Amino acid sequence: MSLSIGIVGLPNVGKSTLFTALTNKGGLAANYPFATIEPNVGVVPVPDARLDALANIDHPTRIVPATIEFVDIAGLVAGASQGEGLGNQFLANIRETDAICEVVRFFGDPDVVHVAGRVDPSSDVDTIKTELMLADMATIEKALPRLEKEAKRDKDGAKKVEVAKKVLAGLDEGHRARTLGLDEDEQAAIYDLHLLTMKPMLYIANVDEDQLDADLPEIDGCRPVPISAKVEADLAELEPAEAKEYLEAMGLEESGLARLVREAYKLLGLQSYFTTGEQETRAWTIPVGAKAPQAAGVIHTDFERGFIKAETASYEDYVGLGGEKGCRDAGKLRQEGKEYVVQDGDVMHFKFNV
């Protein structure tokens, strides 16, 4: 399954610098608002040391990590929901992503101007939160006449109107749609509206180098991921061995990309399983709680339709016992059926009918 995250924030908070570092894609980074006028898209590998451990056992022809797509979107300013700055374009681009990752400025470089003239993370977050809610209110108000018309000839339409009005009232009181406690049926009823505040939110605190281990305050009720865009930019210029030494010298165990991806997976309820052999060692992304046929379907829909069983070993057993043969000899290679709930790190081989 593909995963797309929109990187957003006010102008000059370090979005494009971070995007360029994470993706090694040359998005225009400049010290003025709206340097990113068209959304830049970068697909990056998900860092996962388990892939290398599996490859060291099976010596495959190729190693294929899971991927995540980052979309760098033009800076948002107050009034974007009414078209200020690049407002409408920004909001249209953000609707297409699975989650929103907001970069919040914590760094204090006096040479980088702040659009509001001061570094104030709380105020910055409130600005974007307000614009997203106003945009959703406008979306619902525009849709309601159509929904009410449809409700007259479709009994399901009445439910859509009811939920839309409920969400509109919540937004008017200052609450994101995602925080209103909508059940699955209610969420499904307004899915077609693609509300921005229904998307999961992840916050990145773009900090100075000496703040990477700091105890940062919560942002909008959650703990931000501290990342230094400057450090990530430096890492992007280094070879893997040099990057590892650089991180160790700074007392860091992993890159900002690794921290960000881990938090994004947690936020979206995702995990990885592996397939491995002589041809390929590969990571696949699935929802937590997915059953074996659903996991097989990520490889190909035919695998899900014709699913028979899955030969499965835990990552720990596979590595600890030296691969498939060792697992089989030790009785650790299990035969799992359609009701098996896949666990993070499972090593799987599917049997299916064409």
Side-chain angles (χ1 to χ4, degrees):
M1 61 184 295
S2 59
L3 174 61
S4 177
I5 293 181
I7 300 180
V8 304
L10 293 174
N12 292 351
V13 297
K15 285 189 311 85
S16 295
T17 300
L18 181 64
F19 171 85
T20 303
L22 295 181
T23 64
N24 282 314
K25 181 180 175 70
L28 175 62
N31 183 22
Y32 53 86
F34 314 125
T36 308
I37 297 176
E38 294 295 333
N40 288 294
V41 179
V43 179
V44 303
V46 172
D48 195 329
R50 295 176 296 183
L51 272 174
D52 292 332
L54 294 172
N56 286 337
I57 293 171
D58 292 319
H59 308 290
T61 303
R62 63 175 183 167
I63 302 173
V64 184
T67 59
I68 187 168
E69 179 183 86
F70 288 108
V71 184
D72 180 29
I73 301 172
L76 182 64
V77 295
S81 57
Q82 281 76 47
E84 290 295 324
L86 299 172
N88 292 334
Q89 180 177 319
F90 168 94
L91 297 171
N93 293 333
I94 223 179
R95 292 185 196 281
E96 300 172 6
T97 62
D98 298 308
I100 300 172
C101 176
E102 182 179 340
V103 180
V104 183
R105 178 172 174 175
F106 277 70
F107 68 89
D109 190 342
D111 294 327
V112 180
V113 297
H114 189 287
V115 68
R118 70 190 188 287
V119 177
D120 187 342
S122 179
S123 176
D124 292 355
V125 168
D126 285 343
T127 295
I128 289 187
K129 179 180 177 181
T130 298
E131 293 306 320
L132 296 182
M133 290 192 298
L134 288 172
D136 280 352
M137 291 174 71
T139 295
I140 295 174
E141 289 168 349
K142 181 179 179 181
L144 270 175
R146 171 180 58 82
L147 294 176
E148 289 173 337
K149 184 177 181 180
E150 293 174 354
K152 293 178 180 179
R153 61 176 184 271
D154 179 4
K155 62 180 182 180
D156 292 333
K159 179 69 172 180
K160 293 183 179 181
V161 171
E162 176 189 343
V163 179
K165 289 183 176 179
K166 175 180 177 179
V167 172
L168 184 60
L171 290 166
D172 191 46
E173 293 174 357
H175 305 295
R176 296 180 190 269
R178 191 174 178 82
T179 66
L180 295 176
L182 302 182
D183 61 31
E184 290 186 6
D185 289 341
E186 290 176 317
Q187 292 180 42
I190 58 168
Y191 175 81
D192 290 344
L193 296 179
H194 300 291
L195 299 180
L196 300 170
T197 61
M198 278 298 295
K199 293 183 180 293
M201 287 287 298
L202 181 67
Y203 292 97
I204 290 178
N206 188 6
V207 300
D208 291 311
E209 294 179 39
D210 60 0
Q211 291 180 293
L212 282 168
D213 291 327
D215 185 19
L216 300 176
E218 286 191 352
I219 295 177
D220 198 26
C222 64
R223 191 71 62 183
V225 181
I227 294 179
S228 168
K230 182 179 183 302
V231 169
E232 296 303 311
D234 290 342
L235 286 171
E237 300 295 324
L238 302 175
E239 295 297 324
E242 295 174 320
K244 183 179 179 181
E245 291 179 1
Y246 182 82
L247 286 170
E248 290 175 351
M250 295 195 66
L252 301 174
E253 296 182 357
E254 58 185 356
S255 68
L257 173 60
R259 290 196 298 276
L260 174 57
V261 170
R262 187 177 64 250
E263 292 301 322
Y265 268 52
K266 184 188 301 182
L267 176 71
L268 294 169
L270 301 175
Q271 63 184 8
S272 296
Y273 79 88
F274 304 101
T275 53
T276 185
E278 293 181 359
Q279 297 298 316
E280 177 184 272
T281 295
R282 185 165 185 156
W284 303 89
T285 302
I286 58 172
V288 172
K291 294 183 178 180
Q294 185 182 355
V298 173
I299 299 177
H300 197 286
T301 54
D302 287 348
F303 284 26
E304 183 171 6
R305 283 195 296 265
F307 179 88
I308 299 174
K309 63 180 179 180
E311 289 189 336
T312 307
S314 70
Y315 167 79
E316 290 77 13
D317 285 341
Y318 198 92
V319 172
L321 296 169
E324 181 179 329
K325 185 179 184 304
C327 287
R328 193 181 301 276
D329 292 345
K332 294 294 186 179
L333 191 64
R334 310 185 307 274
Q335 306 295 314
E336 301 289 2
K338 293 182 179 181
E339 295 304 311
Y340 175 68
V341 177
V342 179
Q343 302 300 303
D344 184 54
D346 275 353
V347 180
M348 309 188 78
H349 178 70
F350 299 104
K351 302 287 187 180
F352 63 99
N353 286 319
V354 178

